[in-house]
Amino acid sequence: MYKASDNRYDNVKVRRAGNSGLQLPALSFGMWHSFGDDANFKDSEAAILAAFDRGIFSFDLANNYGPGSGAAERMFGQVYRADLKPYRDELIITTKAGYHMWPGVYGSFSSKKTLVAALDRSLKRMGLDYVDIYYSHRFDPNTSLEETAEALDGIVKSGKALYIGISNYYNQEEQEIMKYFKELHTPFVVNQMSYNLLNRKIEDDGTIDSLANANKGLVAYGPLAEGLLTDKYLGGIPESIHLHSTNDFLVKNGTDNAVKRINALNEIAKNRNQSLAQMSLAWLLNNPSVTSVITGASKVNHLESNLKALDNTDFTADELSAIDNVTK
């Protein structure tokens, strides 16, 4: 029977979402990839429990994560029931709805019916009474933001979620829905966005500044750009590489420029005694508006390597300038 490490919080780095009561570990455990129906359960369980033993108490899921919609939630639910249930009050468990989840017109986007039904499915799969953060997973261009905000507010009032988040909402829609949340007194805390050294769109359009001005937090996903910001592709990027839709612009006109940039970044990382991946995570955490960075680690050694990024999240002005010269 699993017993969590007594030392799990000895070295944890915790960050607050704006001026809210929500606190998250600097690194959260994401289950977008490698936790679907075809995953090895024992390996997945070992990675999840190793994360908690090392102070990562935030687990990020979504209704459509798998592969196989609901698969990651089912797997996490098995681990939760078997191992983590005694620690529920220590955990932050989050899920989302908005991308394709089931057939028909209500199986995606952010209508009230979709958001309510999706959360009920998620809670059942995971064996939970509530989630800590419930996200609208993407902006719905055909449903009023007022309806989405009211649906999320009602979910909190029903007791099925403690906090509300949004994901993939850029500045214009972010500012509009934040206005409704403020009017409703909804406990909106974070926007979860794709953000990394090579993808800085949320800086350019003001998304991250709007969050900071409103005392809200940013949760960054895709911090390693699906492996581009690791040592895996320093020698070249295959034309067949599959990137998340938010990062595919990086190789849209060929891979040569991307290879040149990641090698330049790797040299900066080496001078900091970090791997490229570690520096990429540390760079995100150097920004006080970033509440947590979501990393996916299906193996314990990957998890441990990521955690070493927390040993040095400070950057000199020269280092930041050198990074900007490569990435902007």
Side-chain angles (χ1 to χ4, degrees):
M1 186 173 179
Y2 169 73
K3 180 184 182 299
S5 169
D6 292 335
N7 304 316
R8 59 189 176 277
Y9 296 117
D10 286 359
N11 299 305
V12 66
K13 304 287 197 305
V14 177
R15 297 161 73 96
R16 187 177 293 272
N19 61 357
S20 74
L22 180 74
Q23 299 178 72
L24 295 175
L27 297 183
S28 291
F29 192 95
M31 298 184 66
W32 175 41
H33 278 321
S34 306
F35 295 92
D37 289 330
D38 55 354
N40 180 291
F41 177 80
K42 284 298 180 184
D43 287 348
S44 300
E45 180 182 42
I48 291 168
L49 299 182
F52 186 52
D53 281 341
R54 289 156 178 78
I56 298 178
F57 55 86
S58 175
F59 296 90
D60 183 77
L61 298 109
N63 212 288
N64 67 313
Y65 285 178
S69 289
E73 289 180 330
R74 281 194 300 274
M75 175 175 283
F76 180 79
Q78 287 179 268
V79 177
Y80 171 74
R81 291 180 182 95
D83 306 304
L84 293 175
K85 194 169 184 178
Y87 307 98
R88 178 64 182 99
D89 292 342
E90 299 179 36
L91 303 175
I92 296 292
I93 302 171
T94 76
T95 197
K96 316 175 195 73
Y99 286 94
H100 178 75
M101 297 169 287
W102 60 80
V105 296
Y106 290 108
S108 61
F109 285 113
S110 297
S111 71
K112 180 175 182 178
K113 180 175 176 62
T114 298
L115 292 172
V116 171
L119 181 55
D120 284 344
R121 290 183 179 217
S122 294
L123 294 175
K124 185 176 181 179
R125 278 192 286 261
M126 292 189 285
L128 301 174
D129 297 321
Y130 69 95
V131 292
D132 297 277
I133 308 173
Y134 186 47
Y135 289 89
S136 168
H137 204 169
R138 61 171 166 169
F139 168 64
D140 182 344
N142 299 310
T143 300
S144 75
L145 283 170
E146 189 171 14
E147 176 180 334
T148 298
E150 288 176 349
L152 293 167
D153 185 72
I155 283 167
V156 171
K157 289 183 169 63
S158 75
K160 294 179 180 179
L162 300 185
Y163 294 99
I164 290 303
I166 54 176
S167 183
N168 301 303
Y169 280 60
Y170 286 94
N171 192 24
Q172 183 176 342
E173 53 261 27
E174 172 190 81
Q175 289 204 51
E176 183 180 345
I177 201 166
M178 283 199 297
K179 179 186 71 172
Y180 297 128
F181 287 144
K182 187 173 183 180
E183 292 170 356
L184 293 164
H185 302 288
T186 309
F188 164 68
V189 284
V190 291
N191 187 357
Q192 186 177 135
M193 297 294 288
S194 178
Y195 188 34
N196 59 60
L197 276 168
L198 296 172
N199 177 3
R200 300 173 68 169
K201 292 179 182 177
I202 63 169
E203 293 177 16
D204 299 335
D205 87 327
T207 299
I208 195 166
D209 289 337
S210 294
L211 287 171
N213 292 337
N215 270 321
K216 308 302 178 184
L218 178 87
V219 172
Y221 75 82
L224 304 181
E226 291 74 67
L228 281 186
L229 289 167
T230 69
D231 59 9
K232 185 176 181 180
Y233 299 114
L234 294 174
I237 301 169
E239 297 292 338
S240 60
I241 190 171
H242 177 69
L243 298 177
H244 189 271
S245 59
T246 58
N247 290 319
D248 59 9
F249 73 96
L250 296 170
V251 295
K252 189 173 182 181
N253 297 314
T255 62
D256 290 349
N257 185 52
V259 172
K260 182 180 177 181
R261 294 166 83 193
I262 61 177
N263 275 278
L265 291 170
N266 190 56
E267 290 303 310
I268 300 171
K270 283 197 288 188
N271 289 332
R272 288 172 49 83
N273 294 314
Q274 289 181 316
S275 69
L276 176 54
Q278 288 163 353
M279 185 183 78
S280 299
L281 297 172
W283 178 84
L284 288 167
L285 292 165
N286 183 252
N287 187 328
S289 295
V290 175
T291 304
S292 190
V293 176
I294 294 174
T295 60
S298 56
K299 297 189 183 303
V300 175
N301 63 318
H302 295 161
L303 175 71
E304 291 174 338
S305 179
N306 289 341
L307 282 167
K308 289 178 182 175
L310 304 181
D311 293 341
N312 182 14
T313 58
D314 295 327
F315 288 75
T316 67
D318 287 345
E319 286 173 333
L320 292 173
S321 178
I323 287 169
D324 286 348
N325 286 338
V326 173
T327 61
K328 281 194 168 183

